[in-house]
Amino acid sequence: MHCGIAIPRRRRRRSSRRRTSAPIVGGTGTATGSSPVAPSRQGKKAMTGYFSPDMSFAMHMTARRHGMSLQDAMAEAFNDWLRKMGESPVGK
């Protein structure tokens, strides 16, 4: 305390060193013993982003209204963007 006022302690920052994971072994899991990779995810790479709750809700609802998964809607949006930028679409 300082002059009768409690000052919260700062949290320690995590190390800025990048952690590396073990390579995927045979496409069925990692060398660290995690669960196997689902067949639908084999040969694919995750891409993530942080969006507002309104954007998330709109994307989920619009995809469902059109009978699509969010992943399919995102793939379509990414392919449209690639075309706009003069690149060839690459599918899912």
Side-chain angles (χ1 to χ4, degrees):
M1 276 214 232
H2 179 68
C3 299
I5 300 172
I7 300 173
R9 291 183 182 209
R10 285 188 166 186
R11 292 183 182 184
R12 283 196 324 197
R13 283 188 165 178
R14 290 185 180 208
S15 171
S16 62
R17 283 187 293 162
R18 188 174 180 170
R19 293 183 182 172
T20 58
S21 60
I24 294 177
V25 178
T28 58
T30 64
T32 59
S34 66
S35 61
V37 175
S40 61
R41 291 184 179 180
Q42 288 181 354
K44 295 182 180 175
K45 186 169 178 76
M47 295 172 45
T48 61
Y50 290 88
F51 301 95
S52 71
D54 289 341
M55 174 62 86
S56 176
F57 182 77
M59 289 295 295
H60 279 89
M61 293 304 294
T62 305
R64 287 289 166 216
R65 195 174 313 122
H66 292 276
M68 301 170 73
S69 68
L70 182 60
Q71 183 166 333
D72 288 340
M74 290 171 66
E76 184 175 321
F78 291 158
N79 280 322
D80 288 347
W81 183 77
L82 287 169
R83 282 187 203 95
K84 180 181 173 183
M85 295 295 126
E87 300 293 330
S88 296
V90 294
K92 290 185 190 180

